[in-house]
Amino acid sequence: MSVVITGTPRVPLETARAFTPYGVATVHEAQGRTGLLASCMRPIYPGAKLVGTAVTVSLPPADNWMLHVAVEQCREGDVLVVAPTSPCDVGYFGDLLATSLASRGVVGLIIEAGVRDVSTLSEMKFPVWSKAVSAQGTVKETLGSVNIAIVCAGQFIHPGDLIVADDDGVVVVPAAWAAKTAEAAKAREANEGEKREKLASGALGLDMYKMREPLAKAGLKYVD
Amino acid sequence: MSVVITGTPRVPLETARAFTPYGVATVHEAQGRTGLLASCMRPIYPGAKLVGTAVTVSLPPADNWMLHVAVEQCREGDVLVVAPTSPCDVGYFGDLLATSLASRGVVGLIIEAGVRDVSTLSEMKFPVWSKAVSAQGTVKETLGSVNIAIVCAGQFIHPGDLIVADDDGVVVVPAAWAAKTAEAAKAREANEGEKREKLASGALGLDMYKMREPLAKAGLKYVD
Amino acid sequence: MSVVITGTPRVPLETARAFTPYGVATVHEAQGRTGLLASCMRPIYPGAKLVGTAVTVSLPPADNWMLHVAVEQCREGDVLVVAPTSPCDVGYFGDLLATSLASRGVVGLIIEAGVRDVSTLSEMKFPVWSKAVSAQGTVKETLGSVNIAIVCAGQFIHPGDLIVADDDGVVVVPAAWAAKTAEAAKAREANEGEKREKLASGALGLDMYKMREPLAKAGLKYVD
Amino acid sequence: MSVVITGTPRVPLETARAFTPYGVATVHEAQGRTGLLASCMRPIYPGAKLVGTAVTVSLPPADNWMLHVAVEQCREGDVLVVAPTSPCDVGYFGDLLATSLASRGVVGLIIEAGVRDVSTLSEMKFPVWSKAVSAQGTVKETLGSVNIAIVCAGQFIHPGDLIVADDDGVVVVPAAWAAKTAEAAKAREANEGEKREKLASGALGLDMYKMREPLAKAGLKYVD
Amino acid sequence: MSVVITGTPRVPLETARAFTPYGVATVHEAQGRTGLLASCMRPIYPGAKLVGTAVTVSLPPADNWMLHVAVEQCREGDVLVVAPTSPCDVGYFGDLLATSLASRGVVGLIIEAGVRDVSTLSEMKFPVWSKAVSAQGTVKETLGSVNIAIVCAGQFIHPGDLIVADDDGVVVVPAAWAAKTAEAAKAREANEGEKREKLASGALGLDMYKMREPLAKAGLKYVD
Amino acid sequence: MSVVITGTPRVPLETARAFTPYGVATVHEAQGRTGLLASCMRPIYPGAKLVGTAVTVSLPPADNWMLHVAVEQCREGDVLVVAPTSPCDVGYFGDLLATSLASRGVVGLIIEAGVRDVSTLSEMKFPVWSKAVSAQGTVKETLGSVNIAIVCAGQFIHPGDLIVADDDGVVVVPAAWAAKTAEAAKAREANEGEKREKLASGALGLDMYKMREPLAKAGLKYVD
C-alpha cells in the first residue's frame, strides 16, 4: 500500500502567484469558509508566509523515511504537506532536509507533527507550520506514500492543491477552485481597502454595513 | 435579554494613567493577588502592553455581530473585553474592527476566543490578548449584550473596570479599588527597585528577607 | 525530608564549554536519543540558548520558598532546574530572583511550572524555559529540597548534570556521560556540515544515504 | 481579606426541590442559556445528580484549610462550591471531608480542582463534579474565604444560589431567578414530553418545528 | 454551497452485518491500519458498540439546524456522522433527536463536537461517540450540507461508508473496501482465537512469533 | 544500549501483600507525598486496583516489540510498567498480551501511552492504567530495554519497586522504603477509621484537628 505517485499535475505557477497579495483569512473567506487547517498549526517564526503547490506525504508515527523519498518529487514552487498516520509530536524535520528542499525551490513545509532546528530554519527563512517543536528524532524503518490524497490537520488535501499560509494559519485551495478563488479574493480585498479607509476616518460599521435596522428587528435594546 | 448599556461610568483617565509604569505581576500583587485572567490569554506579539477601561461584550459562539454594536460604545482610553457564552476559538476580530477601534482611541482588545489578521494587527501595534489565533470567521445572526457584567477567562469584569495587560497576562482592577491599588502598586514598585539593586550587588534574599531563622525552625537541614 | 545538599560536584567548566557550539537536537542524538525534556518546556524568547550545570530544586505546588534557599547554592556556570511535587502553572520566578542569580553568574532557569516578569527577563537576556507564563505569585510556607535528584518534565536530573537548552527544547547530559557526549556531538556536527553542503548543491538524500535499495526491498513502488 | 460570611440566606428548600425533576440541559435552556459551568467539570461516577444551595469557598492553590472552615457553615440541602485562586488539579477533598459533609445533610461537591478517594466517594453515593482526580494532598497554611461571591469554572456564583448538576455538567441558578427558572423549566419539560412521543412515533422535526419553509428560504437545495 | 444529497447508496446491510463480530482494533488492522478517527472520540457509556452506514453532516459551529434536515435522510442501519466546520464543543444533540433517529432504525451517532442528555441517551442505549459532553445548546440559523464527503476527527468519510465503533474508538471502512475488509477481519480473528489459547496456556510470544533470532540480530543483550 | 536485565530482585511478596488494604492516597501520604504518577494515568474501568512489583520497559514511540521481550521476564505478582522514549498515544497493548501476562500471574499494566481491546481487558478484569485508549497499533522494528530504571508519567521507577494503583491513580513505592511505608500506611489508616466515625457522628474537623486557634491567629474573621 506504499506508493509514490510521480508526475502529479499542480496548480499552474501563474495561478499560484495570483495569491501572493492575499492572507489566509481572505482566501478562506473567498472560497466560502472552507479549507482551513486546525489552529494547532503554528508558524515557527512570526511573519512567515507562503503560497505553493502541495506535494503530500503520509508516513508512520516517529518515522521520517518517506520525507527523503518526497524530496525527489518536489520542484520549484512546491510546498511539502505531511501528516503521520497516527498523532505524533516528534521532530520529523530539521535543517538538512530544509537545505535539500530549498535547493530545489521548495517554498516551505506544513506538518501535523514536530520539527527541530527551528533556530536555523528561522535564519534560513525556510517557513514551517507545525503542531509542535521537538528535538526528538525519528527512525527510518517503515514506508508511507507520496502524492496520495491525505488528511492534514483536519483538511483533505490532494497533491497539486494550492496551499496558502501566514501568521493566521494554513488554508488549502483545491486545484479545481484555484482560479475562481483567486478572483473572489481579489474582489474581496479591493472591497476591504475601501472599508478600511472609511473606518479609519471614523465611520461606524453599524452604518456602513446597515446593521441598525436588523439589530432592532432582532430585539436589541439600548438602556441608559 | 440582549441589551446595550450606554453611558457607563469608567475609572477616570488620570487614575488609569497612574497604572502605566506597572506590570501585571505588580498590579496583581498590589490588589491582594486577585483579578488575574487565566494564563491561556496570550498577547499576539511580544512586548504588547496596555492600560484601559473595560467596555464589555457577551456574545454567542462563532457570532461577532455584537462587536460592531460595541464599537459605537467605545471612547478614548477604552479596551474591549469580550467573552463568548460558550467556549469558541474562531477568529471573531480582524484588522477592519481594529482600524475602527483605533480611530476612536481604543487601546486594545481582550478576547477569550480567537482573532485573525495578526500580522496586520502587529504592524498596527494594536495589542490583543486572546485564547487562540484562527482565520475562521464568524456569522452575524444572534444578539448578545454590551456593557453588562461578564466572566472573561475566569474573572468577573464590570464595564468601566480597569484592565492592565502585558507579556505576563491580563489583570482586572475593579473600578472601586483602582485608586487604592494604584497606591499599593507604587509602594510595592519603589520597594522592588531597592531590592533589585541589593540583589544585583550580590546580597542574598535569604538575608535580605530574614529567612534563615524561619527555614531552620521549619526543619531545613544542610548536608555536605 | 527537606534537605539542602551542599558542595555538590559539577561537570567541569571546560567540559561544559565544549558543548557551546552544539544545539539540543545534536546533543540529544549524540547521546543515543536520551535525556530530552518534554516539549511543553518552551523558551520565553526566541533565540534563547544555554549550557550549564544543574542545581536542582524540588518544591511544593505554588510555594517558591526553596528558590531563595537554592540561590545561595549556585555559582558561576550553573543553571537552576526546578520541578514542583505536583503539577502547577503559577509564576514561581520573576526579575528579582533573576537579578540575584545573574549576579552569581548563573546562566538561566529550567522550570516545569510558570514564570512572570517575562518582558524584563527578556530584556535582561536571562533565558528561561518554562511550561507556562503566569503573573500569579506563590507563598513561602513549606520546605522542599535543593540538590537532590529530581524528575523535571519527564527526565531524571542529578545535581551537577549538564543542561543544554535552545529553541528546540532542553536536554540533560548526565555528568558521567558529558565527555563522551561532547565528542560524539563534535563528530556528528563535522559530519553535518559536509552533508549540508552537498544537499545545498542539489544532491539527494536518497543517493547520499544510499536509501534506494532498502526502499525498493521494503516494497516501495513508483507509479506515474 | 479572608472572611467567613455567616448566616447567608439560601434559595428556600421548596424552591430547590422544584428543580428535582429537571436535568441540567433543561434548566440551562429555561434560564436563557446562562449559568453553565465549563465542560471540564465531570462527575466522578455516572448517574450522579444533585440540586442544592451553594456554600462557596475561595482558597489558595494546593491548600484546603478553608474546606474545614466551610463545613461548619453548611446545613441540610447545601452543596459546597469550591474554586482555587489559581488553577490547581491536586486532590483537595477525600472521604473524611465527605463523611463530615454528609453528616450535615450536604448533598454534594462542585470543585474546579482535584479530588481523591473517588472509589469510597462513589460507594458513599456522595456526588462530586471536579476538574481532575488526583491522590496528591494539600497543605493547611493559608486562609481563603467562605460564602463570598466566586467564579467557578467560568461562572459567577453567589452563596445561596441554586446549583443543579448531572451527567451533562453543572448549572448555577442565581437565587433571584430560581422561582422563575423553575416555572420555565416546568413549561419546557411538559412540552418536551409531548414532542418526544410524536418523534418516537415517526414524526419528523422538519414538520413538527415547521422548518421546511425557512430552510428553503435560506437556500437549501436537495439534489439526487 | 448548502446541499442535501438524497438517495445516496450505502454499503449493503448484509455486508455491514458481517462486521458485527469484530472490534475496532481488528477492523483497523484488517484494512491496513487506515481509517481510525482521532482518540478524542469517546463513547458516552462503557460497552457501547455499533456497525452502520454513514449519513454525513457538515454544519456550522454551535448551530444544529442541519441535524433536523439529516434525520429525514436516515434509514434502518444508518449511523449519523457529524463534523462542524470549525472546532466546537457545545451540545448539538440530545434525547429528542435520539428518539427521532431511533424511530427510524438509526443505530447511533458519531460527532466531533458535544452532546447532552447523556443519562437519557445511556438509558435508551442509543450509543454516541463524541469529543465532549456539554449542556450548552445550539441555534438554528445557518445551513450546512447532508451526505457530502466530510472530514470527521481526522478521517475522510463518504456518505454510505461503513462505520464500526466500540470502547476502543471509531473506524471508517470505505464502501469500496467493505467486502475485502470483512474477509480480512475474519481471517485475522480466527487467527487471534488460536493465539489466545496458546498464550493462555503459557506459550511465549517470543517463541510463537519467532522473535528471538531477529531480536538477537538487532543487537538485544541479556545481562544478569 | 538495548538491554534486558534478568534476575532483578523485587520487593518480597509478603511486603507487597501488606499494601493490599490501602488506597493510593493513603500510601502517597504515608511516604511523605512522594511517588505519585501524573494524573493523566487513568484506569480503563472503575474499581480497578492493584499492588505489584515493577518490571520496567523503555521502548520507542509506536513500537511494542519490547513488550514481547518483557513478558518472559515477568512472574507471579509483577506489574508491567511501560514508558515510551517520546510521547505517544497509540495502542501498544491489547488482549493477547494481557492473556499472556495473566497466564504468568502478572497483576496489571501501567503504561504512559495508549492501549486497545479495553472491552475485553475489562471483562478479563485485567487492570490497566494508561494515558489514552486507541485502536492504532504499533510496529516491531526497534529495540528498547527491560528492567532498567525509567521515568513513567513523571516518576522515577526502578525494576522491583512496588506499585499501588486504584481509581485515584498510581503511586510507586521504592523497594528500599516498602517496609517503612507499609507501617506508616497502617498507622495512618487506623487513625482514619477513628476520625471517620467521629465525623460521621457530627464532630467538626475544626475541633477535632484543633484548628480554631491557628485560624484566628492567621487572621480569619467571621462576619454576619
Side-chain angles (χ1 to χ4, degrees):
Chain A
M1 287 188 163
S2 293
V3 74
V4 180
I5 310 289
T6 60
T8 306
R10 272 86 158 169
V11 168
L13 271 186
E14 320 79 78
T15 313
R17 271 184 210 122
F19 283 86
T20 309
Y22 313 124
V24 167
T26 299
V27 174
H28 180 236
E29 293 289 341
Q31 70 180 353
R33 300 194 168 179
T34 60
L36 191 67
L37 276 69
S39 64
C40 61
M41 301 295 289
R42 300 300 301 147
I44 57 166
Y45 55 85
K49 185 163 187 349
L50 70 73
V51 177
T53 44
V55 169
T56 62
V57 186
S58 168
L59 37 60
D63 189 315
N64 80 345
W65 209 10
M66 291 309 288
L67 293 187
H68 295 274
V69 174
V71 169
E72 191 181 27
Q73 305 305 315
C74 290
R75 62 184 197 210
E76 184 81 26
D78 281 341
V79 50
L80 207 56
V81 183
V82 181
T85 53
S86 73
C88 190
D89 281 1
V90 304
Y92 278 82
F93 182 95
D95 69 331
L96 288 184
L97 276 162
T99 301
S100 191
L101 286 175
S103 84
R104 301 177 77 82
V106 173
V107 297
L109 170 73
I110 311 293
I111 182 166
E112 194 186 358
V115 291
R116 57 186 190 174
D117 301 331
V118 294
S119 283
T120 312
L121 296 176
S122 301
E123 281 161 27
M124 290 171 65
K125 293 282 170 205
F126 188 88
V128 176
W129 284 253
S130 73
K131 207 176 69 171
V133 170
S134 168
Q136 173 81 36
T138 52
V139 294
K140 298 186 205 317
E141 301 278 2
T142 312
L143 296 183
S145 292
V146 175
N147 275 336
I148 63 166
I150 63 170
V151 173
C152 180
Q155 289 297 334
F156 199 55
I157 300 180
H158 284 85
D161 282 351
L162 197 78
I163 304 290
V164 182
D166 65 15
D167 286 336
D168 285 351
V170 185
V171 66
V172 56
V173 179
W177 300 7
K180 208 178 68 180
T181 301
E183 268 177 56
K186 191 177 173 184
R188 194 178 164 86
E189 194 75 356
N191 213 339
E192 298 243 320
E194 197 182 335
K195 286 188 212 163
R196 197 173 292 118
E197 268 176 55
K198 282 190 194 165
L199 294 167
S201 67
L204 283 171
L206 284 180
D207 299 312
M208 207 168 89
Y209 305 119
K210 300 190 195 313
M211 288 173 170
R212 293 194 192 272
E213 199 185 295
L215 284 165
K217 209 178 250 171
L220 190 65
K221 298 274 172 269
Y222 286 79
V223 177
D224 198 16
Chain B
M1 287 191 161
S2 293
V3 74
V4 180
I5 311 289
T6 60
T8 305
R10 270 86 159 172
V11 168
L13 270 186
E14 319 80 79
T15 314
R17 270 182 211 124
F19 282 86
T20 310
Y22 312 124
V24 167
T26 299
V27 174
H28 181 236
E29 292 289 340
Q31 69 179 355
R33 297 195 170 179
T34 60
L36 190 68
L37 276 69
S39 64
C40 61
M41 301 294 288
R42 299 301 301 147
I44 57 166
Y45 55 85
K49 186 165 186 347
L50 70 74
V51 177
T53 44
V55 169
T56 62
V57 187
S58 168
L59 39 59
D63 189 317
N64 80 345
W65 209 11
M66 291 310 287
L67 292 187
H68 295 274
V69 174
V71 169
E72 192 181 27
Q73 305 305 314
C74 290
R75 62 186 197 207
E76 183 80 27
D78 281 341
V79 52
L80 207 56
V81 183
V82 181
T85 53
S86 73
C88 191
D89 281 2
V90 304
Y92 276 82
F93 183 94
D95 70 331
L96 288 185
L97 276 162
T99 301
S100 191
L101 286 176
S103 83
R104 301 177 76 83
V106 173
V107 298
L109 169 73
I110 311 294
I111 182 165
E112 193 186 359
V115 291
R116 57 185 190 174
D117 301 331
V118 294
S119 284
T120 311
L121 296 175
S122 300
E123 282 161 27
M124 291 172 65
K125 292 284 169 202
F126 188 87
V128 176
W129 285 253
S130 72
K131 207 175 68 171
V133 170
S134 168
Q136 172 81 36
T138 52
V139 295
K140 298 185 206 315
E141 300 278 3
T142 312
L143 297 183
S145 292
V146 175
N147 276 335
I148 63 166
I150 63 170
V151 173
C152 180
Q155 288 298 333
F156 199 54
I157 300 180
H158 285 86
D161 282 351
L162 198 77
I163 303 292
V164 182
D166 65 14
D167 286 335
D168 284 352
V170 184
V171 67
V172 56
V173 180
W177 299 8
K180 208 178 68 180
T181 301
E183 270 178 55
K186 191 177 173 183
R188 193 178 165 86
E189 194 74 356
N191 214 338
E192 297 244 320
E194 198 182 335
K195 285 188 213 162
R196 197 173 293 118
E197 269 176 55
K198 282 192 194 164
L199 294 168
S201 67
L204 282 172
L206 284 180
D207 299 312
M208 206 168 90
Y209 305 119
K210 299 189 196 312
M211 287 174 170
R212 293 195 192 270
E213 199 185 295
L215 283 165
K217 210 177 251 169
L220 190 65
K221 298 274 173 271
Y222 286 80
V223 178
D224 198 17
Chain C
M1 288 187 162
S2 292
V3 75
V4 180
I5 311 288
T6 60
T8 306
R10 271 86 159 170
V11 167
L13 271 185
E14 320 79 80
T15 314
R17 270 184 212 123
F19 283 85
T20 310
Y22 312 125
V24 167
T26 299
V27 174
H28 180 237
E29 293 288 342
Q31 71 180 352
R33 299 196 168 177
T34 60
L36 190 68
L37 277 68
S39 65
C40 60
M41 302 295 288
R42 298 302 301 147
I44 58 166
Y45 55 85
K49 185 164 188 346
L50 71 73
V51 176
T53 44
V55 168
T56 62
V57 187
S58 168
L59 38 60
D63 189 315
N64 80 345
W65 210 11
M66 292 310 287
L67 293 188
H68 295 274
V69 174
V71 170
E72 192 180 25
Q73 305 306 315
C74 290
R75 63 184 197 210
E76 184 80 27
D78 281 341
V79 52
L80 208 56
V81 183
V82 181
T85 54
S86 72
C88 190
D89 281 1
V90 305
Y92 276 82
F93 183 94
D95 69 332
L96 289 185
L97 276 162
T99 301
S100 191
L101 287 176
S103 83
R104 301 177 78 80
V106 174
V107 297
L109 170 72
I110 311 294
I111 182 165
E112 194 186 357
V115 291
R116 56 187 191 174
D117 302 332
V118 294
S119 283
T120 311
L121 297 176
S122 300
E123 282 161 27
M124 292 171 64
K125 291 284 168 204
F126 188 87
V128 176
W129 285 253
S130 72
K131 207 176 69 170
V133 170
S134 167
Q136 172 82 35
T138 52
V139 295
K140 298 186 206 316
E141 301 279 1
T142 311
L143 297 182
S145 292
V146 175
N147 275 336
I148 62 167
I150 63 170
V151 173
C152 180
Q155 288 298 333
F156 199 55
I157 300 181
H158 285 86
D161 282 351
L162 197 79
I163 304 291
V164 182
D166 64 16
D167 286 334
D168 284 352
V170 184
V171 67
V172 56
V173 179
W177 299 6
K180 207 179 67 180
T181 302
E183 268 177 58
K186 192 175 171 183
R188 193 179 165 85
E189 194 75 356
N191 212 338
E192 297 244 320
E194 197 183 336
K195 285 188 213 162
R196 196 173 294 118
E197 267 175 58
K198 280 191 194 165
L199 294 167
S201 67
L204 282 172
L206 285 181
D207 300 313
M208 206 168 90
Y209 305 120
K210 297 189 198 312
M211 288 173 170
R212 293 194 191 271
E213 197 184 297
L215 283 165
K217 211 179 249 170
L220 190 65
K221 298 273 174 271
Y222 287 78
V223 178
D224 197 18
Chain D
M1 287 190 163
S2 293
V3 74
V4 180
I5 311 288
T6 61
T8 305
R10 271 85 158 172
V11 167
L13 271 186
E14 321 79 79
T15 314
R17 270 182 211 123
F19 282 84
T20 310
Y22 312 124
V24 166
T26 299
V27 174
H28 180 237
E29 292 289 342
Q31 69 179 356
R33 299 195 169 177
T34 60
L36 189 68
L37 276 67
S39 64
C40 59
M41 301 295 288
R42 299 300 303 146
I44 58 166
Y45 54 86
K49 186 166 187 346
L50 70 73
V51 176
T53 44
V55 169
T56 61
V57 186
S58 168
L59 39 58
D63 189 316
N64 79 345
W65 209 10
M66 291 309 288
L67 292 188
H68 295 273
V69 174
V71 170
E72 191 180 28
Q73 305 305 316
C74 290
R75 62 184 198 210
E76 184 80 27
D78 281 342
V79 52
L80 207 56
V81 183
V82 181
T85 53
S86 73
C88 190
D89 282 1
V90 304
Y92 277 82
F93 183 95
D95 70 333
L96 289 184
L97 276 163
T99 302
S100 191
L101 287 175
S103 84
R104 301 177 76 81
V106 173
V107 297
L109 169 72
I110 311 294
I111 182 166
E112 193 186 357
V115 292
R116 56 187 192 175
D117 301 331
V118 294
S119 283
T120 312
L121 297 176
S122 301
E123 281 161 27
M124 292 172 64
K125 291 283 169 204
F126 187 88
V128 176
W129 284 253
S130 72
K131 207 176 68 171
V133 170
S134 168
Q136 172 82 34
T138 53
V139 295
K140 297 184 207 317
E141 300 279 2
T142 311
L143 297 183
S145 292
V146 175
N147 275 337
I148 62 167
I150 63 170
V151 173
C152 180
Q155 287 298 333
F156 199 54
I157 300 181
H158 285 86
D161 281 351
L162 197 78
I163 303 291
V164 182
D166 65 15
D167 286 336
D168 284 352
V170 184
V171 67
V172 55
V173 180
W177 300 6
K180 208 179 68 180
T181 302
E183 269 177 57
K186 192 176 171 184
R188 192 177 166 87
E189 195 73 357
N191 213 337
E192 297 243 321
E194 197 182 336
K195 286 187 213 163
R196 197 173 291 118
E197 270 175 56
K198 281 192 194 165
L199 294 168
S201 67
L204 282 171
L206 284 181
D207 299 313
M208 206 168 90
Y209 305 119
K210 298 188 196 313
M211 286 173 171
R212 292 195 192 271
E213 199 184 297
L215 283 164
K217 210 178 251 171
L220 189 66
K221 299 273 171 272
Y222 286 79
V223 178
D224 198 17
Chain E
M1 287 189 162
S2 293
V3 75
V4 180
I5 311 289
T6 61
T8 306
R10 272 85 159 171
V11 168
L13 272 186
E14 321 79 79
T15 314
R17 269 183 212 123
F19 282 85
T20 309
Y22 312 124
V24 167
T26 299
V27 174
H28 180 236
E29 293 288 343
Q31 70 180 354
R33 298 195 169 177
T34 60
L36 190 67
L37 276 66
S39 65
C40 60
M41 301 296 289
R42 299 300 301 145
I44 57 166
Y45 55 85
K49 186 164 186 349
L50 71 72
V51 176
T53 43
V55 169
T56 62
V57 187
S58 168
L59 37 60
D63 189 316
N64 80 345
W65 209 10
M66 291 310 287
L67 292 187
H68 296 274
V69 174
V71 170
E72 191 180 26
Q73 304 306 315
C74 290
R75 62 185 198 209
E76 185 80 27
D78 281 341
V79 51
L80 207 55
V81 183
V82 181
T85 53
S86 72
C88 191
D89 281 2
V90 305
Y92 276 83
F93 183 95
D95 69 332
L96 289 185
L97 276 163
T99 301
S100 191
L101 287 176
S103 84
R104 301 178 76 82
V106 174
V107 298
L109 170 73
I110 311 293
I111 181 165
E112 194 185 358
V115 291
R116 55 187 191 175
D117 303 330
V118 293
S119 284
T120 311
L121 296 176
S122 300
E123 283 161 27
M124 291 172 66
K125 292 283 170 205
F126 188 88
V128 177
W129 284 253
S130 73
K131 206 175 71 171
V133 170
S134 168
Q136 172 82 35
T138 52
V139 295
K140 297 185 207 318
E141 300 279 0
T142 311
L143 296 183
S145 292
V146 176
N147 276 336
I148 62 167
I150 63 170
V151 173
C152 180
Q155 288 298 334
F156 200 53
I157 300 180
H158 285 85
D161 282 351
L162 197 79
I163 304 291
V164 182
D166 65 15
D167 286 336
D168 284 352
V170 184
V171 66
V172 55
V173 179
W177 300 6
K180 208 179 68 179
T181 302
E183 268 177 57
K186 192 176 173 184
R188 192 178 166 87
E189 194 74 356
N191 213 338
E192 298 244 320
E194 197 182 336
K195 287 188 212 162
R196 196 173 293 118
E197 268 175 56
K198 281 191 195 165
L199 293 168
S201 68
L204 283 171
L206 285 179
D207 299 313
M208 207 168 90
Y209 306 119
K210 299 190 195 315
M211 287 174 172
R212 293 195 192 270
E213 198 184 296
L215 283 165
K217 209 179 251 171
L220 190 65
K221 298 272 173 274
Y222 287 79
V223 178
D224 198 16
Chain F
M1 287 189 161
S2 294
V3 75
V4 180
I5 311 288
T6 60
T8 305
R10 272 84 159 171
V11 168
L13 271 186
E14 322 78 80
T15 314
R17 271 185 210 122
F19 282 86
T20 310
Y22 312 125
V24 167
T26 299
V27 174
H28 180 235
E29 293 288 342
Q31 71 179 355
R33 299 195 170 178
T34 59
L36 189 68
L37 276 67
S39 64
C40 60
M41 301 295 288
R42 300 299 302 147
I44 57 165
Y45 55 85
K49 187 166 186 346
L50 69 74
V51 177
T53 43
V55 169
T56 62
V57 186
S58 168
L59 38 60
D63 189 317
N64 80 346
W65 209 11
M66 291 310 288
L67 293 187
H68 295 273
V69 174
V71 170
E72 192 181 27
Q73 304 305 315
C74 290
R75 62 185 197 210
E76 185 81 26
D78 281 340
V79 51
L80 207 55
V81 183
V82 181
T85 53
S86 72
C88 190
D89 282 2
V90 305
Y92 277 82
F93 183 94
D95 69 332
L96 288 185
L97 276 163
T99 301
S100 191
L101 286 176
S103 84
R104 301 177 77 81
V106 173
V107 297
L109 170 73
I110 311 294
I111 182 166
E112 193 185 359
V115 291
R116 56 187 191 175
D117 302 331
V118 293
S119 284
T120 311
L121 296 176
S122 301
E123 282 161 28
M124 290 172 66
K125 292 283 169 205
F126 188 87
V128 176
W129 285 254
S130 73
K131 207 176 68 172
V133 170
S134 167
Q136 172 83 35
T138 52
V139 295
K140 297 185 207 315
E141 300 279 2
T142 312
L143 296 183
S145 293
V146 176
N147 276 336
I148 63 167
I150 63 170
V151 172
C152 180
Q155 289 298 334
F156 199 54
I157 301 180
H158 285 87
D161 282 351
L162 197 78
I163 303 291
V164 183
D166 65 15
D167 286 336
D168 285 352
V170 184
V171 66
V172 56
V173 180
W177 300 6
K180 208 178 68 180
T181 301
E183 270 178 56
K186 192 176 173 182
R188 193 178 165 86
E189 194 74 356
N191 213 337
E192 297 243 321
E194 197 182 336
K195 285 188 214 162
R196 198 173 291 117
E197 270 177 54
K198 281 191 193 164
L199 293 168
S201 68
L204 282 171
L206 285 181
D207 300 313
M208 207 167 90
Y209 305 119
K210 298 189 197 312
M211 287 174 171
R212 292 193 192 271
E213 199 183 294
L215 282 165
K217 210 177 249 169
L220 190 64
K221 299 273 173 270
Y222 286 80
V223 178
D224 198 16

